[in-house]
Amino acid sequence: MSVSMKDLDPAFRGAGQKDGLEVWRIENFKPVPVPTSTHGKFYMGDSYIILKTTALKNGSFRHDIHYWLGKDTSQDEAGTAAILTVELDAALGGRAVQYRELQGNETEKLLSYFRPCIMPQPGCVASGFNHVEVNEQEHFTRLYVCKGKHVVHVKEVPFARSSLNHEDIFILDTKSKIFQFNGSNSCIQERAKALEVVQYIKDTFHEGKCEVAAVEDGKLMADAEAGEFWALFGGFAPLPKKSPSEDSGEESEIVVKLLRVNQGKSEQINFDSLARELLESNKCYLLDCGAEMYVWMGRNTSLQERKGASEAAEKLLIEGSRTKSHVIKVIEGFETVMFKSKFVEWPPTPDLKLSSEDGRGKVAALLKSQGLDVKGLMKSAPVKEEEEPVPYIDCTGHLQVWRVNANEKTLLSTPDQSKFYTGDCYIFQYTYSGDDKEECLFGTWFGKKSVEVERASAISLASKMVQAAKFQAVQARIYEGREPIQFFVIFQSLQVFKGGLSSGYKNFIAENGDADDTYSDGGIALFRIQGSGSENMQALQVDATASSLNSSYCYILHNGNNVFTWTGSLTTSLDHDLVERQLDVIKPDLPSRSQKEGRETDQFWELLGGKSKYTNQKVGREHESDPHLFSCIISKGNIKVKEIHHFTQDDLMTEDVFVLDCHSDIFVWVGQEVDAKVKSQAMDIGEKFLVLDYLMEKLSRETPIFTVSEGSEPQFFTRFFNWDSAKSLMHGSSYQRKLAVLKGRAPPSLNKPKRRTPAFTGRSSGQDKSQRSRSMSTSPDRPRVRGRSPAFNVLTSAFENPSNTRNLSTPPPAIRKLFPKSGESKVSPKKSAISSLTSSFEVPMRSTIPKSVKASPEAEKAIREECATGDGDVGENETEDDEGRTIYPYERLTTRAEDPVPDIDVTKRESYLSSAEFREKFSMTRAAFYKLPKWKQNKLKSGVQLF
């Protein structure tokens, strides 16, 4: 693309060089930077350009450019904004996606930058039309309609009853109170999001000082605030059953059109099927899809041709009075997913090798030739070196492993739980200490040659285990060769052998007449050693041929009693250490002969069947990409997904299911309020998402899937958010939670089990402590701690939290009177007895039954006198202790009493006695107790007090 100096505005110099937002307002047909403090404040008579720069994990930048047009902006300013976006794209290297945004019809991507909403103000900067300043002494009552489950479109409507309907949510902003009116047909998620707008209005226009009220459609009589709301409209009146038809102006069915732009004029192209081959690199095209108008610009087109295509798109929309259509401009090679999805088939994007430095370099060279400073333009993000991923999981927990045999599972012994076979399926359960509670992870591992029947059985068995845990555990589905870092650090030292031991695998090879190549300790076997340390190392059996070697790895080769280690020329000292550690597991009692690449012995090559070529490139693994969050709707066995841009934890609505796509693995998050049937389908939702491949990133069907329940999110999931664990522990719908917070009430929380020290058994796998380290940092900020032995953990758990222990034999407190005397204010004689009552407590004795309240004879006499005179709220033969609990005589507590006491626990009769009677009936001296026969001692042990 040819560029001249006059095509680039100085205001764009150095733009897009760091992560974040940049905003320009069009003033006198020139872009003027808007201060960061006023980002999100738009005026109806102005046009703006918004640049969103996103720093990617690979060190490069992604750019999205939006030009926003207020409803009162002039046509000239709107056209200027459209042209300037093309120039800004040129300054950024010609790869940005450009969006046309009209007030009231903004894209969800733009709204996600300015959460919770955009509320344009009247005015503009043009001459003769100044911004309207708000008078703090005057407040105008305004009515807004809110729409959207994930981002909110806010529109001011006339303050009249006729504006209301049953389908939407409305916010009435008065001077002293903000009302949210929830239409009876509106959904919970929209109501919750509208509350964020209420909070914004309260903070922005009321300085946080006003009342908030929620009004439910159709519940007039039950709510005083509803009456106050309707009084502002002149009284209640029925609303129309259907919402206004202003949102149904678009055609119900759109015919997709493709137009070629030539010298600013567009001509339609006829086609039978919309194919990629219709687009030529030296042309610009318009793809009219009704709600969206795409401008596709070939990479060999000039800046003027791109400007002409942009103007042609604007002209088509104006002529057709299509005020709600979005214009989206894409460059060849950097098309959006939605654009590609319009075509019958989109071939893989060719590797254009056009880095951001290339585009900036071309523009910088032009600017430098004009004598301008180009230092800012030439700055680029440094390329990050590849780092070992952090597991974000504590690996000092307790592990159990089962091998699947047909429809059953067999628990493996501790030495065998880290020895997998490629023809088998396994289930593992891992419990570990989380931030504030014990976490649990259930997982299935499928060998490459495992049979489908046992895979299905493994999923079914693991799902039942998760259901038994009331969905409060994470479930993982993992394939051999696609294991996530969490799996490796849980097992720490893993060996994967050829063949299989399960009945399903044995039957499969027998039916197909295949040779059984299951690993034999006395046969020839070659293992590739990999990992990052003692807490993450694997020995993987590969074909025993020279072509399996790789200069970037170390290997173990054995044939019976002959053991060799082979070190590639590109290996490190860490790799050499891992070989020695794995030798202690595979061949612990035999000496090995070291073979260095290029100096191997003939015997070594003979065991491998002779020399042959091999590679020196490390085995590639899937890298984690920038995460994308999608809401999922399950309909007739299929899923519909919608991307949530610039997501936060608040986007995870408790009524919905979401998928977090990180490319290397995906997470299926399920809210507490989701139907139980849908919860049980969480793993199936993940499988269908992989098939859908919404982002067209060629997701493997074997990508690891984690299912996560709200309230049980592990750290390796929450790290993608600015996480507040208190939010995920709340009860109620998303609307109820936000309303409670907005009104200053503490929403109820789930009762989660506190973290307890797990009992570690059998994690050493028979290795020496020096061979197996139970240590791992759960986050970059957490120091590395050496793992404790199982015995030490069991020992220390007995001494932790002694205050939490409870004597289960402690009787319940004495019952209170069911109907205490109301309005009692008279000071009774009982008051004078309390001082002597408290002074007469005896020294505590060792007993499993706590003493009843003990009173002196004088105190008991005063209480009885009070009962006799009727001053207290007790009946005949009844007294009360100082806490108002009723005390009864022993005669009324027996099962044969003529006047038994009703509504008490007769198995705890001693709880209702006075001190004197308790001692008389239920205590004896130790000397007298031990003189009794043994059988009588055992019988009385739990019901007698010794002194």
Side-chain angles (χ1 to χ4, degrees), residues 70 251 289 301 525 533 566 580 761 788 826 889 907:
E251 303 175 46
C289 302
T301 55
W566 186 85
E580 296 300 321
T761 56
R788 298 174 178 177
K826 180 180 178 180
T907 64

Side-chain angles (χ1 to χ4, degrees), residues 264-330:
K265 297 182 180 180
S266 57
E267 53 180 323
Q268 186 169 340
I269 299 176
N270 297 321
F271 56 85
D272 294 328
S273 61
L274 190 59
R276 168 64 179 83
E277 290 73 19
L278 294 173
L279 306 178
E280 301 178 25
S281 298
N282 59 348
K283 297 285 194 304
C284 292
Y285 296 84
L286 305 181
L287 184 64
D288 188 356
C289 302
E292 301 90 17
M293 173 78 77
Y294 291 95
V295 181
W296 185 89
M297 296 170 280
R299 63 176 178 267
N300 296 331
T301 55
S302 66
L303 181 61
Q304 292 302 321
E305 288 175 318
R306 298 182 182 186
K307 287 182 178 180
S310 180
E311 292 172 345
E314 294 280 350
K315 184 179 179 181
L316 276 178
L317 295 182
I318 293 172
E319 291 177 350
S321 299
R322 294 163 56 181
T323 59
K324 295 186 178 180
S325 294
H326 295 120
V327 176
I328 304 173
K329 307 171 190 176
V330 296

Side-chain angles (χ1 to χ4, degrees), residues 629-676:
L629 184 68
F630 300 88
S631 66
C632 295
I633 299 176
I634 297 87
S635 175
K636 297 180 180 179
N638 298 318
I639 64 168
K640 297 179 180 179
V641 301
K642 185 174 185 179
E643 185 171 4
I644 312 300
H645 301 286
H646 305 98
F647 58 85
T648 66
Q649 181 185 355
D650 289 335
D651 289 312
L652 299 175
M653 295 286 194
T654 187
E655 298 83 9
D656 292 332
V657 177
F658 293 84
V659 171
L660 185 68
D661 179 5
C662 306
H663 185 74
S664 59
D665 39 38
I666 68 169
F667 298 86
V668 181
W669 183 91
V670 183
Q672 295 172 12
E673 299 296 315
V674 171
D675 182 74

Side-chain angles (χ1 to χ4, degrees), residues 669-833:
W669 183 91
V670 183
Q672 295 172 12
E673 299 296 315
V674 171
D675 182 74
K677 182 179 179 181
V678 177
K679 288 182 179 180
S680 64
Q681 298 172 346
M683 189 60 69
D684 292 334
I685 293 173
E687 299 269 7
K688 291 176 180 178
F689 183 86
L690 293 178
V691 175
L692 181 63
D693 192 15
Y694 179 86
L695 294 177
M696 297 183 180
E697 53 184 341
K698 298 183 187 284
L699 280 175
S700 169
R701 295 287 299 275
E702 298 181 356
T703 299
I705 301 174
F706 294 92
T707 65
V708 180
S709 296
E710 182 181 11
S712 300
E713 295 90 348
Q715 188 182 4
F716 56 87
F717 172 81
T718 61
R719 68 189 178 93
F720 295 105
F721 303 81
N722 185 14
W723 196 260
D724 180 359
S725 58
K727 290 182 178 179
S728 63
L729 296 178
M730 293 178 183
H731 270 313
S733 68
S734 54
Y735 172 70
Q736 292 170 334
R737 298 178 189 183
K738 288 184 182 293
L739 183 61
V741 173
L742 183 60
K743 288 194 170 187
R745 301 194 304 263
S749 300
L750 293 173
N751 295 321
K752 287 292 179 182
K754 296 296 182 182
R755 179 172 63 184
R756 59 182 175 84
T757 304
F760 303 125
T761 56
R763 293 307 308 275
S764 62
S765 298
Q767 298 179 29
D768 184 81
K769 288 183 180 180
S770 63
Q771 297 291 327
R772 188 174 184 86
S773 165
R774 298 302 306 160
S775 62
M776 175 58 60
S777 297
T778 59
S779 72
D781 300 326
R782 175 174 170 181
R784 187 178 291 268
V785 181
R786 300 304 298 175
R788 298 174 178 177
S789 67
F792 183 82
N793 282 288
V794 174
L795 180 63
T796 55
S797 66
F799 296 94
E800 291 185 4
N801 298 326
S803 60
N804 291 337
T805 58
R806 181 172 63 90
N807 191 341
L808 298 180
S809 65
T810 303
I815 62 169
R816 297 178 181 271
K817 295 284 287 182
L818 294 177
F819 304 100
K821 190 173 181 179
S822 62
E824 180 177 344
S825 59
K826 180 180 178 180
V827 179
S828 68
K830 178 180 171 184
K831 195 82 173 180
S832 62

